[in-house]
Amino acid sequence: AATKMQNDAGENVDLYIPRKCSWTNRILSAHDHGAVQLNIANIDPVTGQYTKTSTTFALCGYLRSQSEGDEALTALARKNDSAPTN
């Protein structure tokens, strides 16, 4: 089981929580200069309008260097219902 640094109220008290790649679950280190974090707008499926919310995805530099970033981002957006399926 993973140890979580929480106080009695259940609030997170870690000083540093590393980001992870949304596709590979690799930890994004400070030296991963190819890593990106993208905010994808959430769209109302009925009206097609922006809902003023967004979903954040992080992609590691390794994934991008293998030219798989666009495939991963499309799959993540479709899984999250942020992209059309056709």
Side-chain angles (χ1 to χ4, degrees), residues 8-82:
D8 293 336
E11 298 170 340
N12 217 355
V13 293
D14 282 333
L15 295 177
Y16 175 70
I17 301 172
R19 293 183 300 154
K20 289 178 119 182
C21 177
S22 300
W23 188 248
T24 63
N25 283 331
R26 289 179 179 222
I27 292 179
L28 301 179
S29 70
H31 300 288
D32 188 353
H33 298 294
V36 293
Q37 181 169 317
L38 302 166
N39 292 322
I40 306 297
N42 294 330
I43 305 295
D44 186 316
V46 176
T47 63
Q49 292 184 336
Y50 174 54
T51 61
K52 297 190 173 143
T53 60
S54 62
T55 304
T56 303
F57 296 112
L59 299 176
C60 63
Y62 170 78
L63 186 71
R64 296 181 65 223
S65 70
Q66 298 298 313
S67 301
E68 295 178 7
D70 58 342
E71 179 184 353
L73 186 60
T74 302
L76 287 167
R78 284 186 176 159
K79 181 178 176 186
N80 194 51
D81 292 333
S82 297

